[in-house]
């Protein structure tokens, strides 16, 4: 099994939390050596983490959180993968597997591959145990790429034809989703038509449209947030 990738370490948060406790890098290193059995941790290594030139591995992150009296999640940048959300919640893989009624081996395979294959009931349990917002749920379950493709088609063709397919990926109120897709469609078409009457406008509008499409998922979630606030 391949080694999991490093977590998105939040270096400024580590530095801020240490300073708030009135600790120096040497105090952090000492605590990690004595209390967590990591004899190689030095003040220089702690400084490297805080400067972002190096990042702690999983066990080091857990130990660092313990020394700084915080949760691992406070030392992680915005989680994006299933594994990152689990560690941010300080949960063992066994706990999540049990919560979603799944064998540990099967759960770990999904965590490693980044492809969630649980049924509707298991998906609901996953969102609950990890405290996932809808946007995080879509990302964690590997649906973001498909959502991107559908949104591209919705804003460039007839958005009405994509209400049902998007609903299958994103469990929103149908009326809210229709409003979001219509607004995105109008916004995109506005970008494309904005400068057509000017010399060279076609290229400018095309670039504006491509930029809008590049940010289509972010635009989608912003529009959803505005309608569900």
């Amino acid at each position: 099994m391949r080694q999991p990738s490093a977590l998105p370490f939040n270096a400024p948060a580590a530095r801020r939390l240490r300073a708030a406790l009135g600790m120096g890098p040497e105090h952090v290193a000492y605590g990690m050596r004595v209390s967590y059995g990591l004899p190689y941790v030095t003040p220089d290594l702690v400084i490297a983490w805080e400067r972002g030139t190096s990042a702690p591995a999983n066990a080091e992150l857990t130990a660092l959180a313990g020394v700084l009296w915080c949760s691992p999640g406070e030392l992680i940048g915005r989680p994006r993968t299933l594994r990152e959300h689990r560690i941010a919640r300080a949960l063992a893989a066994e706990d999540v597997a049990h919560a979603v009624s799944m064998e540990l081996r099967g759960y770990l395979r999904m965590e490693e591959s980044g492809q969630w294959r649980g049924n509707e009931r298991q998906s609901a349990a996953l969102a609950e145990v990890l405290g996932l917002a809808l946007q995080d749920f879509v990302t964690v379950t590997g649906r973001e790429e498909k959502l991107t493709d559908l949104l591209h088609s919705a804003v460039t063709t007839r958005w009405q034809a994509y209400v049902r397919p998007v609903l299958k990926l994103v469990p929103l109120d149908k009326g809210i989703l229709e409003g979001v897709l219509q607004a995105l469609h109008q916004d995109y078409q506005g970008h494309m038509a904005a400068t057509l009457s000017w010399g060279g406008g076609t290229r400018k509008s095309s670039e504006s449209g491509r930029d809008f499409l590049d940010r289509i998922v972010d635009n989608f979630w912003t529009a959803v947030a505005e309608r569900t606030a």
Side-chain angles (χ1 to χ4, degrees):
M1 180 179 294
R2 63 180 174 83
Q3 292 298 313
S5 59
L7 295 171
F9 183 61
N10 190 336
R15 185 168 58 250
R16 183 177 64 252
L17 288 165
R18 174 181 61 74
L21 292 171
M23 301 171 66
E26 66 277 10
H27 302 126
V28 174
Y30 177 80
M32 294 180 69
R33 290 196 304 268
V34 173
S35 300
Y36 293 90
L38 300 175
Y40 57 87
V41 176
T42 64
D44 286 343
L45 180 57
V46 174
I47 291 172
W49 291 339
E50 293 184 355
R51 289 178 176 172
T53 57
S54 180
N58 293 354
E60 295 164 345
L61 180 75
T62 301
L64 181 61
V67 172
L68 296 178
W69 291 86
C70 68
S71 70
E74 293 177 78
L75 296 176
I76 299 176
R78 182 172 181 264
R80 289 189 58 81
T81 68
L82 180 54
R83 173 173 160 268
E84 288 170 8
H85 277 280
R86 174 177 62 76
I87 293 177
R89 287 272 171 172
L91 293 170
E94 293 86 346
D95 297 329
V96 178
H98 177 74
V100 301
S101 302
M102 188 176 291
E103 291 185 359
L104 176 59
R105 183 178 300 178
Y107 168 77
L108 286 174
R109 280 199 299 268
M110 295 183 196
E111 191 172 278
E112 181 183 358
S113 68
Q115 292 296 317
W116 174 251
R117 303 187 185 281
N119 57 34
E120 185 174 343
R121 179 180 57 79
Q122 290 171 320
S123 296
L126 181 75
E128 181 176 357
V129 71
L130 295 181
L132 298 175
L134 182 57
Q135 181 177 357
D136 291 325
F137 175 76
V138 170
T139 301
V140 161
T141 54
R143 304 179 183 188
E144 190 169 283
E145 183 176 352
K146 179 63 174 177
L147 176 61
T148 300
D149 292 341
L150 290 175
L151 292 176
H152 277 196
S153 298
V155 301
T156 56
T157 58
R158 293 183 66 255
W159 64 266
Q160 296 91 337
Y162 293 89
V163 173
R164 188 181 297 274
V166 174
L167 276 176
K168 290 182 178 180
L169 296 180
V170 185
L172 281 170
D173 176 84
K174 183 179 179 182
I176 291 175
L177 179 59
E178 288 175 339
V180 167
L181 293 183
Q182 182 178 19
L184 290 176
H185 181 272
Q186 292 173 343
D187 201 357
Y188 173 75
Q189 298 303 323
H191 279 284
M192 293 301 293
T195 56
L196 287 178
S197 61
W198 297 88
T202 300
R203 188 176 67 179
K204 293 179 182 178
S205 61
S206 178
E207 291 174 353
S208 178
R210 282 198 300 270
D211 181 62
F212 184 85
L213 290 178
D214 287 343
R215 296 180 290 105
I216 191 63
V217 174
D218 289 337
N219 293 334
F220 173 78
W221 289 119
T222 297
V224 169
E226 290 173 351
R227 287 166 172 75
T228 58

